[in-house]
Amino acid sequence: MIIPVPALDDLPRAAALIAPMACRARVVAIHGAMGAGKTTLIKALCRTIGVRDTVVSPTFALINEYRDGRSQAVFHFDCYRLESPDEACRLGCEEYFYSGALCLIEWPEKIADLLPPQTLHLYISVLDGEQRQIKLGTMELVELE
């Protein structure tokens, strides 16, 4: 599935399409270059599912916790600064992934071997200016990019 995003203002529409699939998968890996809109998409997804907290990239904290509209935990990971998958293991990432809570992961390629098989992979591509394209699929699909 490919979702066109003509401008960054259209990310909430894309998030509304993705949210039901993300909630079913429970673990969502969001791939894309620096500045592609990973955090912006996560903000839109969180708004769509009723998160009222301020959603910011956990670049230094590595993991932020929010609550959705049903008071369920939502975990937001930024793996950019991780040195290795072992560091993620020491942080207990796998426990989060198998907790049943929604986990939204930026820079998932850093911990690819730790992701559950049912992970939903989103790949954000910058096309031109504010235009983006979001591909949904498996890790195998993303690796072909």
Side-chain angles (χ1 to χ4, degrees), residues 39-58:
T39 302
T40 305
L41 177 60
I42 288 174
K43 287 179 184 181
L45 279 168
C46 285
R47 268 187 252 112
T48 299
I49 62 170
V51 171
R52 296 191 189 282
D53 301 309
T54 301
V55 176
V56 295
S57 183

Side-chain angles (χ1 to χ4, degrees), residues 17-100:
L17 294 172
I18 295 166
M21 293 176 273
C23 289
R24 274 193 306 279
R26 306 311 297 163
V27 178
V28 183
I30 302 164
H31 304 261
M34 186 76 71
K38 295 179 295 295
T39 302
T40 305
L41 177 60
I42 288 174
K43 287 179 184 181
L45 279 168
C46 285
R47 268 187 252 112
T48 299
I49 62 170
V51 171
R52 296 191 189 282
D53 301 309
T54 301
V55 176
V56 295
S57 183
T59 303
F60 294 101
L62 301 176
I63 305 167
N64 286 345
E65 180 178 349
Y66 316 118
R67 292 284 163 180
D68 68 13
R70 298 176 301 136
S71 294
Q72 301 294 310
V74 175
F75 296 105
H76 178 186
F77 299 80
D78 186 333
C79 298
Y80 183 75
R81 296 196 184 284
L82 288 178
E83 298 293 325
S84 69
D86 287 340
E87 186 178 355
C89 286
R90 288 191 300 275
L91 291 170
C93 283
E94 289 178 296
E95 291 174 37
Y96 289 102
F97 301 158
Y98 291 96
S99 70

